[in-house]
Amino acid sequence: MTTPDQLSPDTDDPGGPARDPWAGPRRRSRRAFWRPRPSASPGAFLRIFRQAMACRFQILLPAAAGTDIPAACQALGHADRLEQAWSVFRDDSHLSHINRAAAGGPCALDDELGALLRRCDGLSAATDGAFDITATPLSRCWRLLQREGRMPSPEAIAEARARTGRHLVEIRGRGGRASALQADGAGGWTIRFTRPGVELNLGAIGKGYAVSCIAAHLRQAGVAQALVSSGDSSVEAVGAPQGGWPIALRGHDAGVRLWLRHGALATSGASEQGFEHNGVRLGHVLDPRTGWPARGVSRVAVAAPDAADADALATAFFVGGPALADRYLADHDDVLAVFTLDASPRPHIMGRTKGASVEA
Amino acid sequence: MNLTPDQQAVGRRNFLKAVAGVPALAGLGVAAAARGPIGGGPVRVGFIGVGGEGRVLLAQVDPAFADVKALCDINPSQLLRADEVLAKTGKLKAAHYADYKEMLAREDIEGVIIATPLWAHADQTVTCLEAGKHVLCEKMMAWDVEGCERMRQAARRTGRVLEIGYQRFYSAMYQAAYQGIIKAGTLGDIYTARIAWHRNGNWRRAGDPPTPAYDPSPWGYKDWEHLLNWRLYKQYSRGLLAELASHQVNIVNWFFGAVPEFVHGSGSVARFKDGREVDDHVYATFEYPGGRTATFSSIESNAFDHFYEAFFGTRGTLVLRGETEAYLFEEGGGARPTGIEVSAASSGPVLEASESRVADAAGRSTSATSGGGDRLASYRHQISGFCSTIRTGTPLRCGPDKAIGSAVACIRAYEAIEQKARLTVAPVERT
């Protein structure tokens, strides 16, 4: 954008609307798509953001909440802290250390990771193994960690499947939910892999967990209204404007809108990452139970009270489809899923949650 | 500024953001305080000076706040181009004048927006104020300290509103940075500020006079070249210090809550030895009370640094870059910048949720992020704020007292460079 102080020597252009690159058709189409709902118009916002875990962590505050900026900056520190501790892309992380050592015998876990791994185990059991933090050997054999994607041999898949599954991991320690606030070491957590070649990866829950930590930090700091998100795929509300935070679910053809009043939202899909083999597009999300890329679901969004749960369930439902969601929802309240299936562009809504409502 | 990989990621994100197209920002501040239409209806205004800057302002006039009745410029071509701006922005045609005094005498206007060469500000502003008009005058306030004082006194004497065009004060991002970071003490003790405005190019403009016989000498310009390139000649201009530094010194004054006591510096016509009289490379050091210092550089030979105001505190660093981006770095631990943006009020979604993408550094997440639109929004809010002050008495964001603090510092910096001396910045009387 040119202003007088920056005018290049040979022009004397005033700038102004004719040069405005923001006034493109995209904006008009979004406006048309989004029917005004004045009671919930949220006003101007501050966005406080930081890059972590290869995505953008962001806290949205009402514009008048400038005094919450220091708390927001502090809260974003959780994203750095957790990436440092749990990233498998860092050799010096706590989790990388466990991946190297836990096949040799029990390794000590800090309380936060111990409690989260226990929780992952529960989520894995409740989703029939569709959510599984041990699927890294499979991702490796499909070369998805390198983001190349290639067809492995059946033998390679079978070998990787033998190193995948929650039954290969033994976690011992006192129960309880993961919390950054617990005193370290009090839980006496240990972990052991029952065979070599097992690897843990928190990619399907870590961002959601970090979002949840940031939201908890903001609540404790007395922040009244904020929307925490990471890379658009994981969101948690700390309070909300009247009517809820308006959120568009991108890619769902019919244009699904969701109002998040409290609780969390997570999305899963494979249109952004994947590869082609023999003319068939294969996504980056693997079904740990078959060893093959999941098929049938275009994308799914899950609303639940907590961002870590929502994140894990979004991956599980993407892998297991509406059939798995149906079984899960029979035993669990307060979870809402919005599916778009490959076979039909119409969104398919299952379950319900107190924190969010959907308009499709 | 050296860029870390994370900063580069942010830079890429901003690039993608810019090319992807996002809605322009509408800030908080003024818009929130006084959403039009305001009581008493739009303020009837005339423009003096509709060159590049004047037309930027003209395009940003919000019809809910101001109604443009008349345009005045000594160059008839500029008036025609201003008509195009009015048409493009859906406004009615306005009367044309070459002589602003004639405009004041004949038009029923309440306010005047002045965007003329620096040397003309004081006389024009004082004349308008004494004619009972409210004035929004572009920065820098005036060519010399005496002119600034005359303007301030005239505003006091006449009781009219006088605002100076420091649009950063009307930017939601700057207001948020001040309220949320500076005032909150997030940076700890700040002893050092760095302000820079680096460009790579000639400041000289090329253009034809409106007619071959056009003679601007009745208006005080020796010839067409001196009118076209007034910024390059001492008689009309204070060079980079007035046109660029004064914006940034005003921000330092605001954030430090003080004006400088001393200034020294250096500069030269290093690159473009084409007869210009103002330096194309300028370096100045502003010394504030309490051991605080701001260093300024403006060069016309390299644009890598872009332009920014940076505050280096004992607990953190704040960088306000390009008038649209804000970054916060925690001192010590946090190698990663924390960015702050302000986005528009809209009835649209606040977030577009989608599956995670590869290295989502593009930040395609947000439906409304800061971008080039910010800068224009600040101009718009400035004009609307000026009108809101006239109608409802809302306080000015900058006003003559702050503006004069920056102007005096920059004028003295200009003199310090010329005299190769460390000069006292005369204390500015506060009301």
Side-chain angles (χ1 to χ4, degrees):
Chain A
M1 190 61 53
T2 308
T3 69
D5 290 335
Q6 286 200 299
L7 284 172
S8 61
D10 296 326
T11 67
D12 195 20
D13 194 294
R19 294 170 53 91
D20 187 350
W22 322 111
R26 195 174 151 229
R27 180 176 161 193
R28 284 195 294 274
S29 68
R30 180 184 292 116
R31 281 194 173 160
F33 152 73
W34 197 270
R35 276 179 279 125
R37 183 160 157 170
S39 66
S41 179
F45 297 109
L46 300 171
R47 297 174 190 272
I48 321 297
F49 58 92
R50 193 182 293 179
Q51 292 292 124
M53 304 186 189
C55 72
R56 169 165 156 154
F57 277 78
Q58 173 179 283
I59 298 171
L60 196 67
L61 297 171
T67 49
D68 288 339
I69 290 175
C73 294
Q74 226 180 9
L76 287 173
H78 285 289
D80 293 327
R81 175 181 72 79
L82 295 171
E83 180 179 3
Q84 177 62 45
W86 297 348
S87 172
V88 293
F89 297 102
R90 288 171 182 256
D91 287 342
D92 60 347
S93 75
H94 187 32
L95 196 62
S96 290
H97 168 73
I98 288 161
N99 280 338
R100 285 191 297 270
C107 289
L109 288 175
D110 67 44
D111 291 348
E112 187 176 18
L113 182 57
L116 180 64
L117 292 180
R118 166 77 44 90
R119 189 170 162 192
C120 287
D121 190 58
L123 283 161
S124 193
T127 59
D128 305 340
F131 167 77
D132 191 338
I133 60 170
T134 69
T136 297
L138 284 168
S139 302
R140 279 193 198 287
C141 96
W142 286 86
R143 295 191 68 77
L144 290 169
L145 289 187
Q146 295 84 348
R147 295 192 169 122
E148 290 167 14
R150 65 142 197 227
M151 189 71 175
S153 68
E155 296 75 27
I157 294 177
E159 196 276 335
R161 284 186 66 196
R163 295 191 279 129
T164 298
R166 55 187 283 265
H167 61 285
L168 304 174
V169 181
E170 278 179 16
I171 299 163
R172 297 191 192 283
R174 282 198 280 277
R177 280 165 79 85
S179 162
L181 309 171
Q182 273 173 252
D184 202 33
W189 293 93
T190 60
I191 187 168
R192 187 177 80 89
F193 299 154
T194 59
R195 59 159 290 168
V198 176
E199 286 181 69
L200 303 183
N201 185 332
L202 294 170
I205 194 170
K207 282 196 279 184
Y209 181 81
V211 163
S212 190
C213 282
I214 291 167
H217 184 112
L218 293 176
R219 283 184 201 104
Q220 206 166 50
V223 172
Q225 252 181 41
L227 189 70
V228 183
S229 62
S230 70
D232 307 347
S233 63
S234 221
V235 186
E236 188 166 321
V238 177
Q242 195 195 348
W245 297 96
I247 295 173
L249 300 185
R250 183 156 48 192
H252 293 263
D253 285 353
V256 180
R257 289 143 288 184
L258 185 138
W259 301 88
L260 194 64
R261 292 180 296 273
H262 53 85
L265 174 76
T267 54
S268 185
S271 67
E272 296 284 346
Q273 299 180 50
F275 65 100
E276 274 200 14
H277 176 72
N278 288 345
V280 179
R281 195 175 180 289
L282 297 169
H284 76 296
V285 182
L286 295 172
D287 184 342
R289 303 165 302 182
T290 63
W292 277 74
R295 303 286 297 274
V297 178
S298 297
R299 45 180 47 88
V300 61
V302 174
D306 173 276
D309 289 335
D311 203 5
L313 290 175
T315 302
F317 291 176
F318 182 83
V319 166
L324 171 64
D326 202 39
R327 289 198 297 280
Y328 184 88
L329 292 170
D331 298 333
H332 299 83
D333 292 333
D334 215 2
V335 173
L336 169 93
V338 182
F339 282 93
T340 298
L341 304 177
D342 289 344
S344 157
R346 286 183 54 80
H348 178 59
I349 297 164
M350 302 175 71
R352 58 191 300 180
T353 176
K354 292 192 284 289
S357 47
V358 174
E359 284 176 33
Chain B
M1 289 207 134
N2 294 320
L3 299 177
T4 66
D6 279 322
Q7 285 173 304
Q8 289 170 12
V10 171
R12 272 196 303 276
R13 175 182 60 74
N14 281 333
F15 171 75
L16 289 169
K17 190 172 68 188
V19 298
V22 291
L25 171 145
L28 62 167
V30 181
R35 222 177 287 274
I38 46 181
V43 175
R44 301 182 302 280
V45 299
F47 272 70
I48 306 177
V50 286
E53 178 73 26
R55 293 200 300 276
V56 167
L57 294 170
L58 190 58
Q60 294 308 318
V61 169
D62 180 341
F65 288 88
D67 187 2
V68 182
K69 292 290 188 191
L71 306 172
C72 173
D73 202 296
I74 60 171
N75 177 350
S77 312
Q78 303 284 42
L79 289 168
L80 297 178
R81 296 174 79 172
D83 282 346
E84 289 170 24
V85 173
L86 286 177
K88 264 196 250 177
T89 53
K91 299 183 183 91
L92 295 175
K93 204 167 171 342
H96 286 183
Y97 293 89
D99 182 343
Y100 76 95
K101 289 177 183 165
E102 193 189 336
M103 178 177 86
L104 293 178
R106 291 177 50 173
E107 290 290 331
D108 177 27
I109 52 177
E110 304 161 273
V112 177
I113 296 176
I114 299 176
T116 53
L118 177 63
W119 74 296
H121 287 180
D123 285 349
Q124 291 172 345
T125 298
V126 170
T127 304
C128 289
L129 289 168
E130 286 181 340
K133 313 301 179 193
H134 306 284
V135 176
L136 168 59
C137 178
E138 252 311 321
K139 65 103 234 336
M140 197 170 69
M141 197 168 179
W143 187 86
D144 57 4
V145 177
E146 183 270 335
C148 296
E149 271 305 343
R150 270 201 294 138
M151 288 166 72
R152 178 159 69 170
Q153 293 304 333
R156 279 188 199 163
R157 196 168 57 243
T158 60
R160 302 288 98 178
V161 173
L162 172 61
E163 179 61 302
I164 308 298
Y166 289 104
Q167 76 279 358
R168 281 168 173 74
F169 284 75
Y170 290 84
S171 147
M173 187 186 84
Y174 281 86
Q175 291 288 346
Y178 178 71
Q179 299 291 341
I181 293 168
I182 298 294
K183 227 172 131 187
T186 305
L187 301 187
D189 299 324
I190 311 167
Y191 296 101
T192 304
R194 192 194 299 149
I195 52 182
W197 206 313
H198 290 191
R199 310 183 293 189
N200 191 348
N202 196 333
W203 210 4
R204 176 174 292 285
R205 293 179 181 189
D208 292 324
T211 59
Y214 180 73
D215 174 19
S217 62
W219 311 105
Y221 300 91
K222 197 169 96 187
D223 50 27
W224 168 245
E225 155 64 15
H226 281 73
L227 171 58
L228 181 66
N229 282 307
W230 64 268
R231 288 176 178 80
L232 305 182
Y233 299 98
K234 266 204 275 204
Q235 185 187 348
Y236 316 113
S237 167
R238 293 283 188 175
L240 299 168
L241 282 159
E243 299 306 312
L244 305 182
S246 84
H247 276 298
Q248 301 183 307
V249 169
N250 209 359
I251 296 302
V252 178
N253 289 358
W254 178 20
F255 285 14
F256 278 1
V259 293
E261 292 176 305
F262 302 97
V263 63
H264 56 100
S266 63
S268 63
V269 181
R271 185 182 182 191
F272 298 106
K273 301 177 198 299
D274 55 4
R276 71 183 58 195
E277 296 167 2
V278 303
D279 295 340
D280 58 14
H281 285 64
V282 170
Y283 313 88
T285 300
F286 297 90
E287 301 172 32
Y288 287 79
R292 293 171 295 175
T293 302
T295 58
F296 168 73
S297 62
S298 183
I299 65 175
E300 306 263 73
S301 55
N302 176 294
F304 179 76
D305 259 3
H306 199 36
F307 64 105
Y308 61 88
E309 300 93 45
F311 294 84
F312 301 89
T314 51
R315 284 167 48 201
T317 302
L318 171 68
V319 180
L320 301 167
R321 187 174 182 275
E323 218 179 315
T324 54
E325 306 156 36
Y327 302 106
L328 184 65
F329 302 83
E330 198 183 330
E331 185 70 352
R336 282 179 166 145
T338 301
I340 299 172
E341 296 171 340
V342 184
S343 63
S346 95
S347 58
V350 295
L351 194 87
E352 290 186 20
S354 73
E355 60 262 37
S356 52
R357 292 176 289 263
V358 176
D360 195 6
R364 286 172 290 178
S365 57
T366 53
S367 57
T369 51
S370 66
D374 281 16
R375 297 192 72 185
L376 293 177
S378 311
Y379 287 101
R380 188 166 63 250
H381 294 155
Q382 176 179 272
I383 299 166
S384 300
F386 167 67
C387 294
S388 163
T389 302
I390 293 168
R391 282 282 181 267
T392 65
T394 52
L396 295 170
R397 295 277 171 160
C398 178
D401 290 336
K402 285 199 184 81
I404 204 168
S406 170
V408 171
C410 291
I411 291 165
R412 295 297 274 167
Y414 185 95
E415 293 166 350
I417 292 170
E418 211 170 37
Q419 297 168 24
K420 301 187 191 310
R422 177 174 178 262
L423 297 183
T424 306
V425 178
V428 177
E429 179 214 348
R430 293 267 171 188
T431 44

